[in-house]
Amino acid sequence: QVQLVESGGGLVQAGGSLRLSCAASGRPFSMGWYRQAPGKQRELVATITRGSRITYADSVKGRFTISRDNAKNTVYLQMNSLKPEDTAVYYCRAFGMGPEFWGQGTQVTVSS
């Protein structure tokens, strides 16, 4: 069982920045960030493996950076140049070997 604790969400103006963190209780193989806006399906934002292989959604490329500290079992999402359309609940996911686990979500709201 892996527990994920997310932090760092909040309210920011368009063009601003936020940094999300997700601390895992175990040593997940892959970790990632997903988001779900009201009335929409949950979607991929970015993922990173233990070997730092990274995937980004096209909508965040060049603005968001995912990184990982394997010693702390923590994944980060640095979000720059935020847009109102980035407003969503952001979820951390641990996956890759066995069952997957999700965090409780953290709200990110970008005002125009």
Side-chain angles (χ1 to χ4, degrees), residues 69-84:
D69 184 335
N70 288 332
K72 296 181 179 179
N73 296 320
T74 299
V75 64
Y76 305 96
L77 185 69
Q78 178 66 43
M79 305 185 292
N80 298 329
S81 302
L82 282 160
K83 304 175 182 180

Side-chain angles (χ1 to χ4, degrees), residues 6 20 30-37 41-48 55 57 66 77 79 86 88-95 100-103 105-106 108:
E6 300 140 333
L20 305 183
S30 294
M31 298 182 74
W33 289 97
Y34 294 72
R35 66 187 182 188
Q36 187 166 18
Q41 290 188 330
R42 191 172 298 187
E43 63 178 9
L44 166 75
V45 176
T47 62
I48 184 168
T55 301
I66 191 170
L77 185 69
M79 305 185 292
D86 295 317
V89 177
Y90 283 69
Y91 295 91
C92 180
R93 177 188 178 214
F95 63 100
E100 64 177 14
F101 300 93
W102 291 88
T106 185
V108 171

